[in-house]
Each structure stands twice: as C-alpha cells, then as structure tokens.
Amino acid sequence: MKFTFDKDLMVKEISVAQEIISTKNAGSILSNVLLNAYNNILTIKATDIKVNFETTIPVQIEEEGSTTIYCDKFMGILNTLPSGETEFNQVTNGEDSSVSVIIKPITKKVKFQIKSMSQENFPEVNFSDSLPYFEVPSNDFKKMISQTSFAVSEDETRYFMNGVYFEKKGDNLNLVATDGRRLSFATKNILAGVNDFPSAIVHPKILNIIYKHAPEEGNIDISIVDKMIFFKFGNYKFGSVLLEGQFPNYEKVIPSSQAHTMIVEKSDFVEALKRVALMVDKKAGRMFFNVVDGVLKITSQQSELGSADEEIPCEYAGDSYVIALNYRYVEEPLRVIDSERIAFEFTEEMKAVTMRPEPASDYFHIIMPMQKE
C-alpha cells in the first residue's frame, strides 16, 4: 500500500476521526483509523462502536490496499510535517507491518515509521446510500443543537435523559433536552414534505461533532432508522447508535401560561450575573432573583466567604417575588439566546420559570426553582 497525499488535507480529516475515537490504548483496534486506498481515493473510517465516521480525500496511489494505523500517533506525526505532498508507504515483513511517512519531495531527511494493524479486526463501518434521508438547513439545525444539547442529564442511571430528543410534529422538527431540573426546547418548520420518522434520543457527542463540522450554509441529510441516526454533508458521513428508553413527557413540564413577565436587557443581565457569580457557592449554585416594580436584584447566597448583590432595571409591574435559581441553569441558556432582551415568565416562587428571548422566538428554556435555604 503506497500513496501520496496532501498533508493539510489529511490533518483536517484525521482531526475529525480523533474526535470519534474514545480510547487512547495504542493496542486497541478502536484507537486506529481504517485507511482504504483505491482508485486514487483514500477512504478514512473511525469508530468507537457507538459513533461511526467516514470521509474521503483524493490521493495519488502507487499501490492500492487497506490498513489501520494508530490515530493519535499518526496525527502527532502529521502535525510536525510542513505543508505539501507526503508519502505513505506500508511495508509488510512476515506478520509484522509498518508504515513510513516521508516528506515529498525530499528536501529534508525526515522519515517516520509507525506500526500498523490489519483491518480484519476493525469493526464494520458502512453507510448505505439507500437509507431514507431527509434534508434540513444546516444553519437552522446547528442553532437547534446549540439551544438544547447543554441541558442533557449527566446522570447515567437516567440514561433516557442522556441525549437530545428528536421528534416530528407536523412540518416541525422539535429538539428537547432535560435533566429533570431544567428543560430546553427548540422547534423549526423545516420538515415540509418529509415522511414521518420515529422519535429518537440522540447522544450529545454526535450532535456536538455535527455542530462543529457542519457548514453554515447548505443542507444536512439525516436518516433515523433501525435504532441508528445518520448524517451526511460534504464528504462526511456519520452514524450513531440511538439511546434506548422512554423520554419523559416533556409537554407536561412546559407551562401553558404564566401569570407574570419580567424583561431585562441582556447586556445588563449578563454583566450583573457575572459579577454576583463570583460569590456563588459553585457546588450549590444557588442565586436569588428578587423582582419588584422596575428593578431586578440579583443576590448570591450568604456564605463564609461573603456575598454579592446587584440591581439592574427591568420591565415589571406587580407584587414582589424572590426566586432561587441554579446559576448554571441561567448562565448556560444565556450563551445561546441571541436577542438583545430576555424575558422571564413565572407564576409562583416555587413553580417553573420560562426563560426566553424577547420577542418570543422558536426556542425557550424551563428552569425549576430551588429551595431558598
């Protein structure tokens, strides 16, 4: 097996493969990438069993073949090489085989050798073109991922909440994530003409990879079938095992109406939150929001280290309320709310709070209050 490749192009694709691979054990086949060189195309595959990846790049092949190579070490070698053409040459000696990586043309006497492993034990990674794919706008889908994926549960005993829930409602795609104490919801009317597909719970690992590598423009192809979800865009193909279990009935958590609405300028709120958070107990995360006519007072919980509070103007008229919320549950949605004003809707101090952009959009966040002590 011998071919010449563009170093920068190879680095781009191997870096994606690195994100898929979960084990760093050099002796494990799952630490390797599979390389298939045929017809002047190099197919690169990686898997951690639950998430699969495939991509292709053009190469100049002298000898066709297949092998696997330790991904981290290969990436380390590539990062030390200058840009330009590089030669990959696998040499077999009895049962042992190794790969030489050489700068081409040879302007420096640089040559790396790394052990390779047979592809025979590499897990099967196949992507069928006959899958029932549907298209969604890439930019819209990436926004939905960012608006929900941070809210998944980290409690592995509640595995059915360890992913983002996908469902088709009419022509809308809904994405929902919850950890039982908060919920993030996003919906977009992007499924007109798309056949029904089964609801699914998708692991955030694959969604974060899609978010990172999908283009800002164009479409993403998605297919949900046989307990798997598949994505295609550009020269990339991804597949992931779906999480099993029954996702909670999230609609019961979403208030049908709220009695009160408070609106703040996002810039004021972000700065005040940042300052008061300096005195918040990071383990408990409790922060108090005291709303009165025209004023929101944000206060940290009193501790041995001290406390902090800050007042900012708000649009509100009504009775005074003090609501205790987890700082992280407020701060994380702030990163993805792209409006200049933010609304908090509530009814009572111990009932669910709705946090959303103002004016209302196609996403929102539900936060359950904490006990005040």
Side-chain angles (χ1 to χ4, degrees):
M1 182 181 182
K2 187 176 182 180
F3 59 87
T4 301
F5 63 90
D6 179 83
K7 177 259 182 176
D8 291 334
L9 189 54
M10 182 71 83
V11 165
K12 179 174 177 287
E13 310 302 346
I14 295 299
S15 67
V16 182
Q18 262 191 321
E19 296 174 39
I20 302 296
I21 293 168
S22 60
T23 176
K24 303 298 182 183
N25 179 4
S28 168
I29 195 72
L30 294 179
S31 296
N32 288 19
V33 287
L34 172 63
L35 305 177
N36 292 325
Y38 294 97
N39 300 319
N40 286 329
I41 295 292
L42 180 70
T43 301
I44 302 167
K45 297 184 179 184
T47 183
D48 69 354
I49 300 298
K50 293 183 178 180
V51 178
N52 301 328
F53 167 65
E54 178 183 305
T55 187
T56 58
I57 60 172
V59 294
Q60 297 176 359
I61 297 175
E62 292 186 41
E63 296 178 18
E64 295 183 335
S66 299
T67 192
T68 77
I69 189 170
Y70 182 36
C71 185
D72 274 8
K73 191 64 69 178
F74 186 37
M75 187 65 177
I77 290 170
L78 292 172
N79 282 331
T80 69
L81 299 178
S83 297
E85 290 192 335
T86 305
E87 181 182 276
F88 183 104
N89 185 15
Q90 183 187 32
V91 178
T92 302
N93 182 12
E95 294 184 359
D96 295 328
S97 62
S98 62
V99 168
S100 302
V101 181
I102 308 169
I103 298 174
K104 191 178 181 180
I106 303 175
T107 55
K108 296 180 180 180
K109 292 184 178 179
V110 179
K111 177 180 178 181
F112 292 96
Q113 279 196 294
I114 180 173
K115 291 285 186 180
S116 59
M117 296 172 63
S118 169
Q119 70 276 13
E120 292 179 1
N121 295 324
F122 195 84
E124 189 172 329
V125 177
N126 290 321
F127 296 90
S128 172
D129 290 331
S130 64
L131 290 170
Y133 283 100
F134 59 89
E135 285 187 345
V136 297
S138 181
N139 187 260
D140 285 344
F141 187 62
K142 290 177 67 170
K143 284 182 179 178
M144 296 180 76
I145 292 173
S146 70
Q147 291 160 354
T148 55
S149 61
F150 61 85
V152 301
S153 174
E154 297 176 353
D155 182 355
E156 293 185 0
T157 65
R158 308 175 81 182
Y159 57 88
F160 50 89
M161 294 198 299
N162 291 163
V164 178
Y165 185 63
F166 279 48
E167 70 170 356
K168 182 178 185 293
K169 279 286 185 76
D171 290 342
N172 280 35
L173 175 64
N174 293 347
L175 266 60
V176 190
T178 182
D179 64 5
R181 296 175 296 277
R182 58 165 167 184
L183 179 147
S184 291
F185 175 91
T187 184
K188 286 195 180 292
N189 188 275
I190 54 177
L191 298 181
V194 173
N195 292 331
D196 288 347
F197 54 83
S199 299
I201 307 173
V202 184
H203 198 284
K205 175 178 178 177
I206 185 64
L207 293 178
N208 292 335
I209 290 171
I210 299 302
Y211 177 81
K212 182 176 179 180
H213 297 288
E216 292 299 322
E217 298 180 353
N219 294 323
I220 297 175
D221 291 338
I222 304 176
S223 180
I224 300 175
V225 62
D226 295 336
K227 299 182 179 180
M228 293 281 295
I229 187 167
F230 299 92
F231 301 93
K232 288 196 307 182
F233 51 88
N235 59 315
Y236 292 156
K237 297 178 181 179
F238 296 91
S240 177
V241 176
L242 296 173
L243 297 177
E244 296 185 3
Q246 182 66 44
F247 196 78
N249 184 351
Y250 70 88
E251 292 178 333
K252 287 187 175 180
V253 179
I254 300 173
S256 57
S257 64
Q258 298 274 38
H260 310 289
T261 301
M262 175 194 69
I263 299 172
V264 293
E265 294 292 326
K266 180 180 178 181
S267 57
D268 291 345
F269 186 68
V270 167
E271 290 302 315
L273 201 71
K274 187 187 303 181
R275 286 187 282 268
V276 176
L278 293 173
M279 301 304 291
V280 168
D281 181 331
K282 294 300 185 284
K283 186 174 181 180
R286 188 179 283 103
M287 188 177 277
F288 300 101
F289 296 81
N290 185 355
V291 58
V292 297
D293 286 349
V295 176
L296 171 65
K297 183 177 181 180
I298 307 172
T299 307
S300 68
Q301 187 173 18
Q302 190 79 30
S303 71
E304 294 179 358
L305 297 176
S307 64
D309 63 72
E310 182 166 344
E311 293 183 357
I312 61 172
C314 70
E315 292 182 19
Y316 175 79
D319 295 337
S320 173
Y321 288 90
V322 178
I323 302 173
L325 298 175
N326 186 305
Y327 161 72
R328 186 162 66 94
Y329 292 176
V330 176
E331 190 269 340
E332 288 179 338
L334 270 178
R335 301 176 195 170
V336 298
I337 294 179
D338 53 12
S339 62
E340 294 183 359
R341 305 205 306 162
I342 297 172
F344 289 85
E345 299 174 342
F346 60 95
T347 296
E348 296 178 13
E349 293 181 344
M350 289 307 299
K351 289 191 174 181
V353 174
T354 303
M355 181 179 176
R356 61 166 176 82
E358 173 61 30
S361 185
D362 50 14
Y363 64 98
F364 56 81
H365 310 277
I366 304 296
I367 308 170
M368 295 304 299
M370 305 174 73
Q371 296 290 339
K372 294 179 184 178
E373 295 182 1

